[in-house]
Amino acid sequence: MQNQFNFFSNQFHGKSILAETDLTPSEMNYLVDFGLHLKAEAKQNNYTKYLEGKNLALIFEKNSTRTRSAFTTAAFELGANPVFLGKNDIHLSHKESVADTAKVLGSMYDGIEFRGYKQSDVETLAKYSGVPVWNGLTDEWHPTQTIPDLITIKENFGTFDGVKLAYLGDGRNNVAHSLLVGCAMVGIDVAIVSPEALTPADDIIKIANQYAQQSGAKIEITSDLASGLKNANVVTTDVWVSMGEDNWKERIDLLKPYQVNMAALEMTGNLDGKLIVMHCLPAYHDLNTEVGQEVFEKYHLSELEITDEVFNSKYARQFDEAENRKHGIKAIIAATLGNMYIPQI
């Protein structure tokens, strides 16, 4: 199968991806298409060992299901050896500076994933390690979520042209910021629909508008559900309270009107047309979690950011989206660390 890899490129090689802005729009589009290619290959049980003999450090300050599983399985399928380093396994920031840790890990590993709190920490790892570093999530950005999300959109619609995404909920968190910028880069119209107290940061809106001017995407920041949802093809959301926070009452009071429910989907005007629903997960759509039960006991809500009806509807694509975390991450780490002969998509 090597004869199909006839395109020599080093534009990605050695590159760290810490935010969407580390990529050009053409690079973003390439990684989406490369991820779709790798997914198609995986469905045929074809695995190219781009990372044969490579060792990857996976640093996790925050717990994870999808990010840890996706990086681990992606590494194995590409021929690499992933090593999990939890917050209690290493001295990062506690007894050893991030810079010193970066120098140590960079001398032993070929690439580093970081999932934690501070964007400055992942930037320091990239600065001092001397190897590619990938942002598995920080408080500011989540590029390894955005690329798989774009893969999910493209595999459903075949294109980004004429597609509109509406994000409902906390417009100031990392997922909203990353989606806003990522969609603007590739030409997807995007509406961030949130209460005025939780609209995206001004600097993120500015960045998105700059990309939108190049791609032709339309950007809307609004608190009005009808306006933001009108003609949307993709409706997506995230949890109302982020990991490490406990401000449930404040967020419920603010965000309850922005729940993804059937009434919200009806506002798109696309119930009989092209419409999908996404969620980066985990989702509080029922009472089958400890957190969900605690919230129900205190606030008498059985559903939060998305209803169970929508979560299990024909529009739901959140589990395809979750699987695509692996394929998008495979594209990211193969392109930045692997064999520089990569397919011309």
Side-chain angles (χ1 to χ4, degrees):
M1 67 187 281
Q2 287 296 326
N3 60 0
Q4 67 177 298
F5 302 124
N6 55 7
F7 179 58
F8 183 84
S9 171
N10 63 1
Q11 71 183 100
F12 290 103
H13 197 69
K15 189 181 187 73
S16 290
I17 299 179
L18 313 180
E20 283 72 9
T21 51
D22 289 322
L23 297 168
T24 65
S26 63
E27 288 172 338
M28 178 72 81
N29 276 292
Y30 183 89
L31 290 176
V32 169
D33 289 339
F34 191 20
L36 285 166
H37 168 79
L38 291 171
K39 182 175 184 177
E41 289 290 289
K43 296 302 181 184
Q44 299 298 317
N45 292 316
N46 294 326
Y47 301 98
T48 301
K49 304 300 183 181
Y50 290 105
L51 303 186
E52 189 74 53
K54 303 289 188 181
N55 294 306
L56 308 183
L58 308 182
I59 301 175
F60 281 77
E61 286 187 330
K62 290 185 175 183
N63 294 336
S64 169
T65 298
R66 277 146 296 280
T67 303
R68 180 176 179 179
S69 298
F71 265 99
T72 302
T73 56
F76 280 130
E77 291 182 9
L78 292 169
N81 175 45
V83 177
F84 176 79
L85 302 173
K87 66 178 181 179
N88 295 323
D89 297 323
I90 57 176
H91 299 302
L92 185 73
S93 296
H94 178 57
K95 295 173 66 176
E96 184 172 48
S97 70
V98 178
D100 288 354
T101 301
K103 293 171 185 177
V104 171
L105 296 181
S107 72
M108 299 181 186
Y109 294 93
D110 301 288
I112 300 170
E113 177 272 346
F114 174 82
R115 177 182 171 91
Y117 295 92
K118 297 179 182 177
Q119 181 71 15
S120 59
D121 284 348
V122 76
E123 292 171 354
T124 300
L125 286 169
K127 181 177 180 179
Y128 290 103
S129 67
V131 299
V133 174
W134 311 291
N135 182 353
L137 174 143
T138 63
D139 289 344
E140 295 182 33
W141 296 100
H142 200 353
T144 53
Q145 178 72 53
T146 300
I147 291 170
D149 284 358
L150 295 177
I151 288 172
T152 307
I153 293 169
K154 194 161 189 178
E155 73 180 351
N156 275 275
F157 299 107
T159 181
F160 295 140
D161 294 340
V163 174
K164 177 182 176 180
L165 177 144
Y167 171 94
L168 272 61
D170 179 2
R172 195 172 284 269
N173 72 11
N174 48 17
V175 170
H177 282 174
S178 282
L179 270 178
L180 177 58
V181 172
C183 288
M185 291 176 78
V186 300
I188 295 174
D189 294 342
V190 54
I192 303 297
V193 190
S194 64
E196 292 182 3
L198 293 173
T199 55
D202 290 342
D203 59 327
I204 302 299
I205 296 173
K206 181 178 180 180
I207 291 169
N209 280 324
Q210 289 171 344
Y211 284 118
Q213 288 177 2
Q214 301 171 35
S215 70
K218 297 175 182 176
I219 303 296
E220 183 179 7
I221 310 298
T222 182
S223 61
D224 183 68
L225 286 162
S227 176
L229 285 163
K230 185 178 180 180
N231 298 324
N233 308 105
V234 183
V235 178
T236 188
T237 188
D238 191 10
V239 293
W240 290 345
V241 175
S242 298
M243 191 179 298
E245 298 180 342
D246 194 31
N247 51 342
W248 283 101
K249 186 179 188 310
E250 173 193 348
R251 288 306 177 88
I252 288 171
D253 290 343
L254 277 171
L255 292 169
K256 191 174 179 181
Y258 298 89
Q259 182 185 68
V260 176
N261 50 38
M262 287 306 299
L265 297 192
E266 288 172 3
M267 291 184 192
T268 68
N270 279 326
L271 283 182
D272 297 325
K274 295 181 177 180
L275 177 66
I276 65 172
V277 173
M278 302 198 308
H279 192 307
C280 59
L281 302 179
Y284 299 124
H285 62 97
D286 57 24
L287 297 178
N288 294 326
T289 63
E290 292 179 3
V291 173
Q293 291 170 9
E294 290 172 3
V295 171
F296 176 74
E297 290 175 2
K298 190 174 288 188
Y299 303 107
H300 308 292
L301 294 173
S302 59
E303 306 162 310
L304 292 177
E305 74 281 355
I306 186 169
T307 63
D308 197 58
E309 180 183 18
V310 171
F311 192 84
N312 290 299
S313 72
K314 65 179 182 180
Y315 308 106
R317 298 292 186 278
Q318 67 273 0
F319 295 115
D320 294 336
E321 181 186 4
E323 179 191 347
N324 287 338
R325 292 293 301 281
K326 176 175 73 171
H327 305 298
I329 285 169
K330 282 175 72 174
I332 290 166
I333 62 180
T336 57
L337 183 60
N339 183 339
M340 289 191 293
Y341 287 94
I342 54 180
Q344 186 168 11
I345 305 298

